[in-house]
């Protein structure tokens, strides 16, 4: 599966309520949900992905993967940068995107959370 810009844009835009913008200029595609950033794709000198991360998890990922570093131009405690040219498994990166998105959604008021999550995560019932 090729890891192209279009591929990663599709992944980021697939999150409920995701909005893409370029507030930092054309070399940085910013993804927000309810006005809060959960990711950034850098397409300038480096093809990177910045993702929000739990501080403990951020450290663990940085130790486990050389392609994961402290957030480039971000709060290094809460953000990681993933080198999208390093050949990491796209499914793994997609999980990190999900985690980043969920971290931001969980910080929203309960009503907003319900509006965002109910259509994509229906309750499962034992039958």
């Amino acid at each position: 599966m090729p890891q192209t810009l279009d591929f990663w844009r599709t992944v980021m835009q697939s999150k409920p309520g995701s909005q893409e913008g370029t507030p930092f200029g054309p070399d940085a595609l910013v993804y927000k949900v309810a006005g809060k950033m959960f990711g950034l794709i850098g397409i300038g000198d480096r093809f990177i992905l910045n993702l929000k991360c739990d501080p403990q998890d951020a450290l663990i990922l940085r130790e486990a993967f050389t392609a994961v570093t402290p957030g480039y131009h971000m709060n290094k405690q809460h953000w990681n940068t993933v080198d999208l040219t390093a050949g990491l498994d796209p499914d793994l990166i997609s999980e990190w995107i999900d985690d980043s998105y969920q971290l931001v959604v969980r910080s929203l008021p309960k009503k907003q959370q319900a509006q965002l999550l109910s259509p994509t995560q229906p309750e499962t019932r034992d039958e």
Side-chain angles (χ1 to χ4, degrees), residues 12-26:
M12 299 296 278
Q13 292 171 338
S14 72
K15 304 298 169 207
S18 176
Q19 294 184 323
E20 179 184 275
T22 54
F24 306 126

Side-chain angles (χ1 to χ4, degrees), residues 17-57:
S18 176
Q19 294 184 323
E20 179 184 275
T22 54
F24 306 126
D27 290 342
L29 301 175
V30 173
Y31 296 88
K32 294 182 179 183
V33 59
K36 295 184 179 225
M37 192 164 109
F38 71 92
L40 177 148
I41 299 175
I43 54 177
D45 297 335
R46 299 168 52 204
F47 187 34
I48 60 171
L49 176 63
N50 284 354
L51 296 171
K52 194 164 183 83
C53 195
D54 172 82
Q56 246 346 79
D57 293 341

